[in-house]
C-alpha cells in the first residue's frame, strides 16, 4: 500500500524545512533535514527488507515492541560507546520529537534529565519506561543516534513506510474524535485503531530489526578490517618491484 499511495520523495523538503534569518538574511536549514537526506550513505538494509534479514528480531519485537525498543537502545549505546554503554543513556538521547519545545520529550536537555530525574542511577529502568510511554520517540531516537554517528541517510521506502504509518495514526485520531459526537462511528473507529496499532507495531519492528542488522554489519566490517593482514612491503631490489617499475 505504501508503494502506491506515497512517493517517498524528499524533493523540496529542504526548502520546506528552511527559514531566512531576518537579521542576516542567511538561509537556515532545520537540523532535522539531515535525517531525510537521500544523498547520504544509507542503512545496510531498508525497512521493508528488515523482516527477512532479521526474522527473529522482527518477530520478537512484534510480540513485545517496548522490549525490542529497549534492546535496540541498549545495543546501540554499547556499540557506539563500549566503555560507557548505558551510562550514556538520556531521555530520547537528546533528540526532540517534532513540535516539542525542548530538546527531548521532558522539555529539557539530556543532562537535565540526569540531574532532575536521576536517569543515571537506573538507566535500564528509565530506558524501558521510555519505551513503554513513548515508543515512537524512543525508537526514532535510537535510529537517529545511529544515523548521526555513521552519517546515514534514508532509503526511499523508509520514508514511504513512515508516511503510511503517520497517515494511519492521524486517521485513527480523526475517527476517534468523530466517534465522540456520533456513536454510529464507534465500530469504525475501533477498526481503524486496530489497523493503526498493527501498522505501528510492524513499523517499529522493522526499525528495531534495521538497527540490529546495521550494528551487526558495522561490527562485522570492523572485525574483518582488524583481522585482515597488511600486505608486506616489497623489496626495491626484488624482481617483482623491478617488473612493476618497468611496466
Amino acid at each position: 500500500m505504501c508503494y502506491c499511495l506515497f512517493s517517498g520523495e524528499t524533493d523540496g523538503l529542504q526548502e520546506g524545512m528552511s527559514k531566512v534569518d531576518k537579521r542576516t538574511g542567511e538561509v537556515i536549514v532545520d537540523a532535522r533535514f539531515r535525517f531525510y537526506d537521500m544523498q547520504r550513505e544509507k542503512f545496510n538494509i531498508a525497512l521493508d527488507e528488515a523482516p527477512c534479514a532479521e526474522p527473529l528480531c522482527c518477530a520478537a519485537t512484534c510480540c513485545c515492541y517496548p522490549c525490542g525498543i529497549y534492546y535496540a537502545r541498549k545495543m546501540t549505546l554499547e556499540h557506539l560507546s563500549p566503555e560507557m554503554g548505558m551510562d550514556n543513556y538520556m531521555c530520547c538521547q537528546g533528540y526532540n520529537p517534532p513540535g516539542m519545545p525542548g530538546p527531548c520529550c521532558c522539555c529539557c536537555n539530556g543532562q537535565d534529565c540526569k540531574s532532575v530525574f536521576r536517569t543515571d542511577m537506573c538507566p535500564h529502568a528509565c530506558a524501558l519506561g521510555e519505551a513503554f510511554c513513548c515508543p515512537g520517540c524512543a525508537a526514532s531516537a535510537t535510529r537517529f543516534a545511529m544515523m548521526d554517528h555513521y552519517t546515514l541517510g534514508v532509503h526511499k521506502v523508509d520514508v514511504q513506510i513512515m508516511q503510511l504509518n503517520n497517515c494511519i495514526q492521524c486517521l485513527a485520531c480523526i475517527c476517534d474524535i468523530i466517534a465522540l459526537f456520533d456513536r454510529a462511528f464507534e465500530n469504525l473507529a475501533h477498526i481503524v485503531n486496530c489497523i493503526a496499532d498493527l501498522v505501528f507495531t510492524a513499523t517499529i519492528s522493522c526499525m528495531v530489526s534495521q538497527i540490529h542488522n546495521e550494528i551487526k554489519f558495522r561490527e562485522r566490517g570492523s572485525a574483518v578490517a582488524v583481522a585482515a593482514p597488511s600486505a608486506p612491503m616489497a623489496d626495491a631490489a626484488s624482481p617483482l618491484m623491478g617488473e612493476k617499475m618497468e611496466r
Side-chain angles (χ1 to χ4, degrees), residues 164-179:
L164 172 65
N165 175 70
N166 293 342
C167 285
I168 290 183
Q169 303 307 320
C170 290
L171 179 60
C173 290
I174 293 172
C175 290
D176 283 338
I177 293 173
I178 295 175

Side-chain angles (χ1 to χ4, degrees), residues 70-88:
Y70 159 76
Y71 170 74
R73 178 70 63 84
K74 179 178 181 293
M75 192 177 182
T76 298
L77 293 179
E78 290 176 350
H79 169 72
L80 299 182
S81 181
E83 301 81 9
M84 297 292 291
M86 285 297 287
D87 289 338
N88 275 339

Side-chain angles (χ1 to χ4, degrees), residues 3 22 25 29 39 58 65 67 88-89 97 116 118 128 133 136-137 143 185 216 218 229 234 240:
Y3 303 113
K22 295 181 180 180
V29 181
Q39 304 305 316
C58 190
Y65 63 76
C67 296
N88 275 339
Y89 168 80
V116 176
R118 304 304 300 170
L128 195 56
C133 298
C137 297
R143 194 164 179 266
F185 285 90
K216 290 200 308 183
R218 297 287 175 174
L240 290 176

Side-chain angles (χ1 to χ4, degrees), residues 11 125 131 151 186 200 202 239:
D11 296 340
T151 319
E186 285 186 351
F200 179 78

Side-chain angles (χ1 to χ4, degrees), residues 103-224:
C104 76
C105 63
C106 299
C107 299
C108 59
N109 59 46
Q111 297 303 320
D112 289 340
C113 284
K114 289 184 177 182
S115 60
V116 176
F117 300 103
R118 304 304 300 170
T119 58
D120 55 332
M121 295 181 63
C122 49
H124 294 275
C126 292
L128 195 56
E130 178 188 324
F132 272 98
C133 298
C134 311
C137 297
S140 295
T142 303
R143 194 164 179 266
F144 290 161
M146 285 291 294
M147 294 173 74
D148 267 342
H149 186 81
Y150 290 112
T151 319
L152 298 174
V154 292
H155 295 268
K156 178 181 177 180
V157 69
D158 293 5
V159 179
Q160 290 175 305
I161 290 174
M162 292 177 189
Q163 287 174 335
L164 172 65
N165 175 70
N166 293 342
C167 285
I168 290 183
Q169 303 307 320
C170 290
L171 179 60
C173 290
I174 293 172
C175 290
D176 283 338
I177 293 173
I178 295 175
L180 291 175
F181 299 97
D182 189 345
R183 290 187 175 275
F185 285 90
E186 285 186 351
N187 289 335
L188 175 62
H190 287 315
I191 293 172
V192 175
N193 271 294
C194 287
I195 296 174
D197 289 342
L198 290 173
V199 172
F200 179 78
T201 301
T203 303
I204 290 293
S205 299
C206 290
M207 290 174 67
V208 170
S209 301
Q210 185 186 53
I211 294 168
H212 179 68
N213 179 272
E214 189 68 23
I215 291 174
K216 290 200 308 183
F217 172 74
R218 297 287 175 174
E219 290 181 347
R220 192 185 312 122
S222 300
V224 170

